[in-house]
Amino acid sequence: MRFRLQPTPAQEAALLEHCAHARYVWNLAVEQHLHWRPGWASAPGYAEQSRQLTEARREFAWLAAGSQTMQQQALRDFAQAMAHFFAGTHRRPTWRKAGVHEGFRIVGRRGAHWDVRRLTRNVGEVQVPKVGWVRFRWSRDIPDEAKSFRVNRDRAGRWHVAFAVVPPAIEGPGTGAVVGVDRGVAVSAALSTGEMSSVPGPRETEAKRLRRLQRRLARAARGSNRRKRIKTAIARLKARQTGRRKDWVEKTSTDLARRFDLIRVEDLKIKNMVRSARGTIAAPGVNVRAKAGLNRSIHAAGWGQLASRLEHKAAGRIEKIHPAYTSQTCHACGHCAGKTVRAKRSFAVAPAGMSITRM
């Protein structure tokens, strides 16, 4: 459950200091493990790194001025990330960069280590160690089972607080309704019922401003304040697009989970579909720029986000279908057009097989 944080200038400075401390501790842990080689003694774990952190806080006053709870949590998060890496489920944890990875996590018992309260209908406050009560937009109630929260700052300069709560799945209507969902580029989601919905794209004025800012960015000197301001302006424009895409995904997935008992989606390997066509020096790729544009369109359509949110909200009611031939049957009359459908892209699969309508 994520909310928009509204810190004061003094609180924002304190939050940035917390972010810097968490990033510093994390990067030290990364550096220690990068020196490790097979055959050596095991790299220091959380217990040893926590002891080293205590010694560092005793020696450096600037580090001791921060929250020890938050700094230790950064070490716990790193230890968990390494466990996931050795288990083969995640990639190896890497460096965190200022301006990109700005955030920290607080874990503890609510009421003892942290707390949250509601002030008005739309305003709440969360208690952050060594910062105090920070206001945020209250858009929904926070369950009592929340045991941790994360504060982060995106590239557009916006602060958010996210409470670790898993919402319950949405119950289906119980009517046995089945629908198929086809994810496309021109039409983000086409249903076997004939309905079509697309992610709202950038406005014409926003697209022009983005191109203008990108040209200015190409001329700005690296490391200059001007370049920093331009990058922030670009990040704000892209954050609007990201927010619209997330809003569309949430509303569409909720609507499908409430209306249908069984939802069929194509089993797409999106990671493979958006691979670069650049190739190598010995074997350069073809149509590289066209493929790059297609990859951007796939990401902008929110294919992966829609499938993930459907699995969360309609748990146990998602069926993945092999994508071959799923767009060749008309949803209205059942006629199969074969290969000719690729010219018009206007057919959809019947619910028994899948769903889809592409334009």
Side-chain angles (χ1 to χ4, degrees), residues 115-188:
D115 204 354
V116 62
R117 63 189 182 189
R118 187 172 186 174
L119 298 181
T120 64
R121 183 171 177 267
N122 298 319
V123 179
E125 285 184 332
V126 60
Q127 188 180 25
V128 181
K130 293 199 173 185
V131 178
W133 292 95
V134 184
R135 292 193 173 190
F136 64 91
R137 292 183 184 177
W138 188 286
S139 57
R140 49 185 167 170
D141 292 335
I142 302 172
D144 295 333
E145 57 265 24
K147 296 182 179 179
S148 67
F149 68 91
R150 179 173 182 81
V151 175
N152 74 287
R153 179 178 180 267
D154 61 19
R155 298 192 185 188
R158 303 176 304 178
W159 288 91
H160 297 89
V161 56
F163 298 92
V165 178
V166 179
I170 298 175
E171 296 185 2
T175 59
V178 182
V179 71
V181 182
D182 179 27
R183 291 165 290 173
V185 174
V187 177
S188 303

Side-chain angles (χ1 to χ4, degrees), residues 39-70:
W40 293 7
S42 61
Y46 167 72
E48 175 62 21
Q49 289 178 337
S50 181
R51 185 188 63 81
Q52 295 175 0
L53 175 62
T54 302
E55 296 179 357
R57 286 175 57 87
R58 189 181 300 116
E59 184 174 353
F60 299 102
W62 62 269
L63 190 61
S67 171
Q68 184 176 10
T69 301
M70 179 270 300

Side-chain angles (χ1 to χ4, degrees), residues 26 30 34 78 81-82 85 91-95:
W26 174 281
V30 170
L34 286 180
F78 177 81
M82 289 300 299
F85 167 69
R91 293 182 295 180
R92 189 185 189 95
T94 57
W95 306 97

Side-chain angles (χ1 to χ4, degrees), residues 52-322:
Q52 295 175 0
L53 175 62
T54 302
E55 296 179 357
R57 286 175 57 87
R58 189 181 300 116
E59 184 174 353
F60 299 102
W62 62 269
L63 190 61
S67 171
Q68 184 176 10
T69 301
M70 179 270 300
Q71 296 168 11
Q72 287 180 337
Q73 187 59 46
L75 293 178
R76 291 192 185 95
D77 292 343
F78 177 81
Q80 185 65 41
M82 289 300 299
H84 289 159
F85 167 69
F86 288 124
T89 59
H90 293 70
R91 293 182 295 180
R92 189 185 189 95
T94 57
W95 306 97
R96 289 183 174 177
K97 184 179 179 181
V100 179
H101 305 98
E102 299 285 1
F104 59 89
R105 196 159 72 100
I106 298 295
V107 177
R109 191 171 67 256
R110 181 173 174 177
H113 300 89
W114 63 276
D115 204 354
V116 62
R117 63 189 182 189
R118 187 172 186 174
L119 298 181
T120 64
R121 183 171 177 267
N122 298 319
V123 179
E125 285 184 332
V126 60
Q127 188 180 25
V128 181
K130 293 199 173 185
V131 178
W133 292 95
V134 184
R135 292 193 173 190
F136 64 91
R137 292 183 184 177
W138 188 286
S139 57
R140 49 185 167 170
D141 292 335
I142 302 172
D144 295 333
E145 57 265 24
K147 296 182 179 179
S148 67
F149 68 91
R150 179 173 182 81
V151 175
N152 74 287
R153 179 178 180 267
D154 61 19
R155 298 192 185 188
R158 303 176 304 178
W159 288 91
H160 297 89
V161 56
F163 298 92
V165 178
V166 179
I170 298 175
E171 296 185 2
T175 59
V178 182
V179 71
V181 182
D182 179 27
R183 291 165 290 173
V185 174
V187 177
S188 303
L191 309 186
S192 57
T193 59
E195 302 172 65
M196 292 179 289
S197 179
S198 296
V199 176
R203 300 186 180 93
E204 183 178 356
T205 55
E206 293 176 342
K208 290 182 179 179
R209 175 171 168 76
L210 179 60
R211 290 193 296 268
R212 184 165 60 251
L213 288 173
Q214 288 174 336
R215 289 194 293 266
R216 291 175 57 189
L217 181 66
R219 297 191 296 267
R222 292 186 177 274
S224 64
N225 291 330
R226 179 171 177 266
R227 184 180 179 87
K228 184 178 179 180
R229 290 194 300 269
I230 296 174
K231 290 178 69 175
T232 301
I234 292 176
R236 288 175 179 169
L237 283 177
K238 292 188 175 181
R240 293 180 189 175
Q241 301 176 22
T242 302
R244 291 172 189 149
R245 180 167 58 250
K246 289 183 177 180
D247 180 72
W248 177 86
V249 167
E250 294 296 332
K251 291 180 179 179
T252 303
S253 57
T254 299
D255 179 64
L256 293 175
R258 288 175 176 170
R259 291 169 52 196
F260 302 98
D261 288 313
L262 180 61
I263 304 172
R264 292 190 171 109
V265 297
E266 295 171 298
D267 188 12
L268 301 176
K269 307 300 181 184
I270 300 177
K271 185 176 181 180
N272 296 334
M273 296 176 66
V274 296
R275 283 184 176 176
S276 173
R278 185 178 304 172
T280 61
I281 297 178
V286 295
N287 297 328
V288 178
R289 298 312 306 162
K291 183 61 169 60
L294 176 62
N295 293 347
R296 286 193 297 269
S297 299
I298 291 175
H299 286 303
W303 289 6
Q305 293 181 21
L306 180 60
S308 298
R309 294 305 288 152
L310 283 174
E311 291 179 351
H312 295 159
K313 297 180 180 181
R317 297 189 284 126
I318 303 298
E319 184 178 347
K320 293 187 176 181
I321 305 297
H322 193 280

